[in-house]
Amino acid sequence: MTPALTAATARRVLAQLRHDPRTIALIVLLPCVLLGLIAWMFHGTPVLDQFGPILVALFPLIVMFLVTSVATLRERTSGTLERLMASPLGKGDFVGGYALAFGAVAVVQALVVTGFAVWVCGMDVHGSLGAVVLVAVLDAVLGCTLGLAASAVARTEFQAVQMMPLIVFPQLVVCGLLMPRDEMPTVLEWISRAFPLTYGVDAMQHLAAGSSLGDVAGDVAVIVAFLAGAVVVGGLTLRRRTP
């Protein structure tokens, strides 16, 4: 990787996003709209306080996965990646630049969504609000890196969209959102440990109950490890052209 080329790739991606208001609206506004609907539906109940921090991490992950996987695949199918790879730009520069660009967008998204949930919807966080923001940012960036990895095995944008239920939905089922993990069948509980979303949900559940950042440090470390692994996989499996 060359830092200058990685930074140039990140600037190019951010410039493209700046001229795409629909994608910006999808990234920033959609999670807020969904949270606002939930707050409206369950107004006067503790539902938002109980599940809001989890959704603050969950919605950005799903949105960033979808946007990143489709955008990266479009670079290949349009021939842009072919031309870039003929230059001194390496695979690491391309993947790193995309990760930096969408990571920066994920930070903005997490700040906006968390602020909207707390100050507009009235979500009460018993733990550290800063820790909630941190986990939300990491989950959003994780969605970016998983999207980068998924785009490497998809051949069309439709297939990239299909990767979302394949990768995300099984995690939703066993992450502890629908049922406490210690009440699941033993096999499913063990399977849940292999999914990164499990640790994001676990961290948010503890923070919602009043835990500090130090109490969820283990979950945060696992999320970071999965994030780094997804970047490596994305770089190793990156192809110039989709057959």
Side-chain angles (χ1 to χ4, degrees):
M1 289 180 61
T2 305
L5 294 176
T6 301
T9 301
R11 288 194 297 269
R12 179 179 64 83
V13 174
L14 289 173
Q16 291 175 342
L17 287 174
R18 190 168 61 248
H19 295 91
D20 189 353
R22 287 179 297 181
T23 299
I24 295 175
L26 176 66
I27 292 173
V28 178
L29 297 182
L30 180 59
C32 293
V33 171
L34 294 175
L35 280 169
L37 288 174
I38 292 173
W40 189 14
M41 290 170 57
F42 295 99
H43 179 69
T45 72
V47 170
L48 183 65
D49 294 338
Q50 183 177 359
F51 293 101
I54 299 173
L55 299 178
V56 164
L58 181 59
F59 288 157
L61 182 146
I62 295 175
V63 172
M64 294 307 295
F65 176 94
L66 179 62
V67 171
T68 307
S69 60
V70 172
T72 308
L73 183 64
R74 189 175 297 168
E75 295 274 60
R76 291 211 316 270
T77 57
S78 66
T80 301
L81 179 59
E82 181 91 5
R83 295 190 294 271
L84 289 173
M85 296 298 286
S87 69
L89 185 76
K91 289 184 178 181
D93 299 315
F94 179 85
V95 174
Y98 255 80
L100 282 176
F102 280 104
V105 174
V107 170
V108 175
Q109 181 196 54
L111 290 172
V112 171
V113 172
T114 303
F116 179 84
V118 173
W119 292 306
V120 177
C121 297
M123 183 182 74
D124 187 18
V125 178
H126 297 288
S128 169
L129 182 59
V132 170
V133 173
L134 174 62
V135 176
V137 168
L138 289 177
D139 280 349
V141 176
L142 178 64
C144 297
T145 56
L146 290 176
L148 284 170
S151 68
V153 299
R155 296 187 177 185
T156 65
E157 292 183 15
F158 181 62
Q159 288 183 359
V161 173
Q162 289 177 318
M163 295 297 291
M164 187 179 71
L166 179 63
I167 294 176
V168 176
F169 286 4
Q171 298 190 60
L172 288 175
V173 173
V174 299
C175 69
L177 178 63
L178 304 178
M179 174 187 291
R181 291 171 55 231
D182 56 6
E183 296 180 11
M184 294 179 183
T186 303
V187 174
L188 292 180
E189 196 276 331
W190 276 95
I191 291 175
S192 71
R193 299 184 185 185
F195 292 144
L197 187 57
T198 297
Y199 301 93
V201 169
D202 185 68
M204 284 299 195
Q205 286 176 330
H206 282 88
L207 291 172
S211 298
S212 65
L213 179 59
D215 297 325
V216 298
D219 289 326
V220 170
V222 174
I223 295 171
V224 172
F226 272 105
L227 191 156
V231 171
V232 172
V233 170
L236 293 177
T237 57
L238 184 67
R239 302 187 301 271
R240 291 188 177 188
R241 173 182 299 176
T242 301

